[in-house]
Amino acid sequence: MRMIGLFLLTGALALGLAACGGGDEQTSAKQDQAVETSTDTNAGAQEFTITAKNWNFSSDKEMVVKKGEKVKLNLVNKEGVHTIHNDELGIDLTTDKPAEFTADKTGEYVLKCSTVCGAAEDHEGMKISLKVVD
Ligand SMILES: [Cu+2]
């Protein structure tokens, strides 16, 4: 009896969603997914992998996110030893520890190398920007 009740409830929900969503066939699949991912706090995060070399950072894709989005940054050292810091975002990124945060303020954030990795001009030139847009 419980199973039937659950089935009816699911059906009712699916119908309700279909009514608002324009009758998409995949409504129930989407609904299942939403329930599953709600337990994963990092679901839907914009993920970037930053590669560090002597002496520059590059990202696998353009680092632009929308305000309110979750962001995950990974760091890979291809050459030398580098870490990333940014005060405003409150991130300290190492190869072992990705940075995860919510981009809650628009602007351009300059992520800088925080490990002295060479001559001042080389080390200080290691920067990469993350843009947060509306
Ligand atoms: Cu560096």
Side-chain angles (χ1 to χ4, degrees), residues 53-55 57 81-83 113-118 122-123 126:
K53 287 185 184 172
N54 288 338
W55 279 270
F57 290 120
V81 177
H82 310 278
T83 52
C113 186
S114 49
T115 297
V116 177
C117 55
D122 292 328
H123 166 61
M126 289 195 69

Side-chain angles (χ1 to χ4, degrees), residues 21-41:
D24 187 343
E25 277 183 352
Q26 292 180 321
T27 300
S28 64
K30 275 184 195 158
Q31 191 190 346
D32 290 345
Q33 212 176 21
V35 169
E36 242 175 63
T37 52
S38 67
T39 56
D40 179 357
T41 53

Side-chain angles (χ1 to χ4, degrees), residues 17-123:
L17 286 172
C20 322
D24 187 343
E25 277 183 352
Q26 292 180 321
T27 300
S28 64
K30 275 184 195 158
Q31 191 190 346
D32 290 345
Q33 212 176 21
V35 169
E36 242 175 63
T37 52
S38 67
T39 56
D40 179 357
T41 53
N42 202 37
Q46 289 274 16
E47 191 165 349
F48 301 94
T49 297
I50 299 169
T51 300
K53 287 185 184 172
N54 288 338
W55 279 270
N56 63 68
F57 290 120
S58 59
S59 173
D60 59 342
K61 51 187 191 285
E62 201 188 0
M63 299 202 353
V64 179
V65 300
K66 285 232 163 103
K67 185 178 161 182
E69 277 186 322
K70 286 175 188 162
V71 182
K72 183 177 181 187
L73 303 178
N74 305 297
L75 177 63
V76 177
N77 276 331
K78 275 269 163 68
E79 187 185 21
V81 177
H82 310 278
T83 52
I84 287 176
H85 176 80
N86 181 283
D87 262 339
E88 295 155 292
L89 298 171
I91 57 168
D92 274 302
L93 181 53
T94 68
T95 50
D96 302 327
K97 192 173 59 116
E100 292 176 52
F101 56 94
T102 301
D104 49 16
K105 208 171 151 225
T106 57
E108 182 167 353
Y109 298 89
V110 181
L111 316 184
K112 296 181 180 169
C113 186
S114 49
T115 297
V116 177
C117 55
E121 64 266 31
D122 292 328
H123 166 61

